[in-house]
Amino acid sequence: MYAPQILIEAALNGLMTGAVYALIALGLTLVYGVLHIINFAHGALLTVAMFAVWGAFALFHLDPYLAMIGIVPLMFGLGYGLQRFVIGPASHGSDNNVLLVTLGLSIVLENALLALFRSDTRALDSDAALQVIELGPLLLSTPRLIGFAASLAVTGLLWLVLNRTDTGRAIRAVAREKLGARLVGIEVDHVYAVTFGIGCACLAVAACLLMPTYYVNPRSGAAFVLVAFTIVVLGGMGSIAGALVGGLIIGVVESFSGLLLGDSLGQIGIFLIFILVLLVRPTGLFGARA
Amino acid sequence: MSARDLLPVILALAVLAALPFLGLSGSVLNFLVTTLIIALAGLGWNVLGGFGGQYSFGHAAFFGTGAYATAILQMKLGFNAWAALGAGIGLGALTGLAIGYLSFRAGLRGSYFALVTLAFAEVFRILANSADFTGGAAGLLLPLRPGLATLQFADRRFFYLLVLAFVGLALLASRWLERSRFGAHLIAVRENEEAARALGVDALAVKLRAIALSAAITAAAGGLYVQSFLYLDAGVAYGTWISVEALLAPIVGGIGTAFGPLVGALALQGLGEVTKHLAGGIPGVDLVVFGACLIAVIAFAPQGLLGLRRRRARAERAVTVGA
């Protein structure tokens, strides 16, 4: 048996990782909720953001938390442009095509990064990753604690944007009734692109929160992509609260399966949950409708 | 099937069979073998994805099962290579049936089906990477023992012809799908599952048969792959690369047509080779081109390269009629 302290630490570490996972899944679930598509390029876009954080640090010695100010709007712009000028026009409005176009996009982005940066793994060369906070007998990593708090804050902020602003109301209107939204004068293509942009902006925040304790290589995002899909499916497609709860659950599951099965076999826990949820309850924990 | 249906298949095979006897260099021949193996995997994907409309993102699950079974049965249980390949194809079909039964029973389609197949392939990859009998992370190395019983030939052209024979069989199967009652049911399910069911088509059975056939063909590609390269690890067998290659070939060539996967594989692999040559050793450049091709084909030629030809023919006809 494991000592209780190890189990508690594993649970807390899982919750902290899970909150950042939730942030990654947030963009995916939002895009699904509005566009009813699965964005297969989500992981590759996360890798792009992580390389941006790394580049800002390597070139200008820019603190990753400070870099957020620049990288978040840049990623929003990238997402807006991709949806407006590539994904939207190329897919002719068919769901299967969107799936394939975003798959093509992920292949292009991932391998362009591979051509530029080779397959080397890069991390921020900074001491910040090693800082810890003592909480009684427990040692918690400071950057991961910041990541946890910031993820919760961004989730709350996004909920406010969706429920209290005009943009948010337009997004919800398009998600509910596309044709009706168009009839009352909402520019649907613009709303689609804004939603996609917000999804990418969430990825930018996640990248800034991850980089102090993680590393990046051109395939990094691929490791997150099925995790994010699992969270979205578990939480119910399109549900923000579902993404948060799903993210926390998956973080804890990953932490414990890593503890019990070792690092390489530990990943299997997430995939098995994913398959099980899809087969048994495809609407997820929070999704009432299919 | 009439003689007219078979003629294009025979012509294509005859041209491809003549190629290695034109004095090609060893590297060109190797390139052609790899291209044909990918075309075979694509022909498999096309049965389920093209004719059946069920887009799998995880055909690596079948490719890898065929490859591992072929290698392990020979190395650990002393099977004859032909028997091992046959068993690999059978196991691939069973894997397809199992994944299909679970997924289709749960009503998964579209993005959900794509994702669940991807997840199955990943589970297999992780298992193969940690199990003992697959050689774990170190992989498996098939011993080099040329001979008919080991399916290894001193003259590489014989292996090429063997792969081509499998491609020929898969082409015939696709031709049959275009003409048979089963193929018609499969296309009906793709176009409108509810309507097909209302007309008395057993949609689940049709989809299960399609995924089994699709998986068997792709597993054959896996078995031939390991027999050709004599090395296998989890990343090669169950990696996303082959899932992507298997779907790119038919989509670029012409989805849901018998020749689409072959045309697509030849075009893409050729383009990739040229790009690699021009870019000089920069990794990933050929795949950037593949991804861009996928986007471009969907945007501008949803029927693939073969569709372009058909569209031009129709346009020319229209012009003649107009004049």
Side-chain angles (χ1 to χ4, degrees), chain B:
Chain B
M1 273 186 286
S2 64
R4 244 191 92 197
D5 294 336
L6 295 180
L7 196 63
V9 176
I10 294 166
L11 269 178
L13 292 180
V15 171
L16 284 170
L19 276 182
F21 299 96
L22 300 176
L24 301 177
S25 69
S27 58
V28 175
L29 197 57
N30 269 330
F31 162 76
L32 284 174
V33 168
T34 312
T35 303
L36 284 184
I37 289 176
I38 286 168
L40 187 59
L43 279 158
W45 188 91
N46 196 39
V47 169
L48 184 69
F51 293 105
Q54 313 290 326
Y55 289 15
S56 148
F57 276 21
H59 257 51
F62 315 132
F63 182 89
T65 300
Y68 268 119
T70 303
I72 291 170
L73 289 177
Q74 280 183 74
M75 286 175 66
K76 312 251 153 124
L77 300 173
F79 269 51
N80 171 302
W82 295 87
L85 181 61
I89 293 171
L91 277 173
L94 283 179
T95 311
L97 271 181
I99 292 178
Y101 184 76
L102 291 171
S103 315
F104 296 139
R105 274 294 296 263
L108 299 182
R109 32 176 126 161
S111 315
Y112 290 88
F113 180 71
L115 288 174
V116 86
T117 48
L118 174 65
F120 273 114
E122 280 293 286
V123 167
F124 287 174
R125 186 182 62 77
I126 295 168
L127 288 177
N129 203 39
S130 356
D132 279 334
F133 67 97
T134 56
L140 292 172
L141 206 57
L142 236 67
L144 183 66
R145 267 190 319 235
L148 196 59
T150 52
L151 267 179
Q152 297 167 13
F153 307 100
D155 189 339
R156 186 102 177 120
R157 285 178 294 188
F158 286 114
F159 192 77
Y160 171 90
L161 290 178
L162 176 78
V163 179
L164 186 61
F166 274 91
V167 169
L169 285 175
L171 276 176
L172 286 178
S174 307
R175 263 316 212 203
W176 169 72
L177 274 180
E178 286 180 326
R179 298 284 180 266
S180 69
R181 195 180 170 77
F182 169 61
H185 284 174
L186 189 55
I187 290 167
V189 169
R190 173 187 76 192
E191 295 302 322
N192 189 337
E193 191 167 330
E194 281 72 29
R197 214 175 296 158
L199 291 171
V201 175
D202 184 349
L204 179 65
V206 166
K207 286 196 276 189
L208 282 181
R209 264 178 245 154
I211 197 173
L213 179 60
S214 172
I217 297 173
T218 303
L224 290 169
Y225 180 96
V226 70
Q227 204 65 56
S228 169
F229 292 94
L230 302 177
Y231 172 74
L232 200 62
D233 68 17
V236 170
Y238 289 122
T240 36
W241 75 277
I242 186 65
S243 295
V244 168
E245 297 269 15
L247 74 89
L248 269 176
I251 288 173
V252 169
I255 190 163
T257 64
F259 282 99
L262 184 60
V263 171
L266 287 169
L268 278 171
Q269 297 304 315
L271 191 62
E273 206 61 21
V274 170
T275 316
K276 252 190 274 184
H277 200 72
L278 292 179
I282 301 177
V285 178
D286 51 329
L287 291 173
V288 173
V289 173
F290 282 12
C293 279
L294 177 59
I295 299 173
V297 163
I298 289 164
F300 303 113
Q303 300 303 313
L305 296 175
L306 289 177
L308 280 180
R309 199 199 50 174
R310 217 173 302 141
R311 201 158 67 185
R312 214 180 51 198
R314 206 177 303 141
E316 275 165 11
R317 238 187 350 254
V319 169
T320 331
V321 170

Side-chain angles (χ1 to χ4, degrees), chain A residues 11-136:
Chain A
L12 287 177
N13 274 325
L15 283 176
M16 289 191 290
T17 318
V20 182
Y21 283 170
L23 193 54
I24 297 169
L26 213 53
L28 201 61
T29 209
L30 188 66
V31 168
Y32 183 85
V34 176
L35 281 66
H36 302 288
I37 54 157
I38 285 180
N39 169 25
F40 214 78
H42 204 68
L45 286 163
L46 175 66
T47 320
V48 169
M50 286 169 88
F51 264 108
V53 178
W54 174 80
F57 186 86
L59 292 176
F60 311 113
H61 219 81
L62 201 58
D63 180 85
Y65 300 125
L66 216 59
M68 219 181 267
I69 303 167
I71 290 173
V72 168
L74 275 178
M75 284 298 292
F76 176 86
L78 179 67
Y80 186 97
L82 280 177
Q83 168 59 32
R84 189 94 204 226
F85 303 112
V86 181
I87 303 170
S91 55
H92 310 294
S94 136
D95 287 0
N96 269 340
N97 285 349
V98 176
L99 195 63
L100 293 173
V101 169
T102 52
L103 173 70
L105 207 56
S106 77
I107 298 172
V108 169
L109 290 174
E110 217 170 69
N111 290 287
L113 289 170
L114 182 67
L116 280 172
F117 297 102
R118 306 298 160 114
S119 54
D120 310 340
T121 290
R122 292 152 210 264
L124 300 189
D125 182 20
S126 119
D127 298 332
L130 304 174
Q131 286 173 5
V132 286
I133 291 176
E134 275 183 64
L135 206 75

Side-chain angles (χ1 to χ4, degrees), chain A:
Chain A
M1 260 325 279
Y2 295 95
Q5 190 181 338
I6 294 178
L7 294 178
I8 294 170
E9 247 173 20
L12 287 177
N13 274 325
L15 283 176
M16 289 191 290
T17 318
V20 182
Y21 283 170
L23 193 54
I24 297 169
L26 213 53
L28 201 61
T29 209
L30 188 66
V31 168
Y32 183 85
V34 176
L35 281 66
H36 302 288
I37 54 157
I38 285 180
N39 169 25
F40 214 78
H42 204 68
L45 286 163
L46 175 66
T47 320
V48 169
M50 286 169 88
F51 264 108
V53 178
W54 174 80
F57 186 86
L59 292 176
F60 311 113
H61 219 81
L62 201 58
D63 180 85
Y65 300 125
L66 216 59
M68 219 181 267
I69 303 167
I71 290 173
V72 168
L74 275 178
M75 284 298 292
F76 176 86
L78 179 67
Y80 186 97
L82 280 177
Q83 168 59 32
R84 189 94 204 226
F85 303 112
V86 181
I87 303 170
S91 55
H92 310 294
S94 136
D95 287 0
N96 269 340
N97 285 349
V98 176
L99 195 63
L100 293 173
V101 169
T102 52
L103 173 70
L105 207 56
S106 77
I107 298 172
V108 169
L109 290 174
E110 217 170 69
N111 290 287
L113 289 170
L114 182 67
L116 280 172
F117 297 102
R118 306 298 160 114
S119 54
D120 310 340
T121 290
R122 292 152 210 264
L124 300 189
D125 182 20
S126 119
D127 298 332
L130 304 174
Q131 286 173 5
V132 286
I133 291 176
E134 275 183 64
L135 206 75
L138 304 168
L139 290 177
L140 296 177
S141 147
T142 311
R144 299 185 66 177
L145 214 55
I146 295 174
F148 179 70
S151 294
L152 295 186
V154 171
T155 310
L157 188 69
L158 189 67
W159 188 86
L160 279 179
V161 167
L162 280 177
N163 288 286
R164 296 277 182 274
T165 66
D166 284 346
T167 313
R169 271 188 272 272
I171 289 175
R172 284 188 299 135
V174 172
R176 184 80 48 92
E177 187 66 63
K178 194 166 91 179
L179 189 65
R182 206 190 292 273
L183 287 176
V184 297
I186 295 172
E187 276 186 76
V188 172
D189 289 344
H190 174 70
V191 172
Y192 273 10
V194 167
T195 310
F196 209 89
I198 293 176
C200 287
C202 290
L203 284 181
V205 180
C208 295
L209 298 175
L210 278 174
M211 273 314 280
T213 50
Y214 270 68
Y215 54 83
V216 61
N217 66 48
R219 301 268 309 139
S220 297
F224 287 99
V225 82
L226 267 175
V227 175
F229 285 134
T230 311
I231 293 166
V232 169
V233 169
L234 186 66
M237 292 277 192
S239 158
I240 288 186
L244 184 61
V245 177
L248 295 177
I249 293 175
I250 290 299
V252 173
V253 167
E254 185 194 54
S255 180
F256 278 107
S257 62
L259 189 66
L260 300 174
L261 299 170
D263 271 344
S264 65
L265 203 58
Q267 307 161 17
I268 215 167
I270 290 175
F271 298 119
L272 290 179
I273 288 187
F274 179 67
I275 293 171
L276 265 176
V277 174
L278 269 184
L279 297 182
V280 178
R281 192 176 160 76
T283 51
L285 299 177
F286 286 73
R289 301 164 289 138

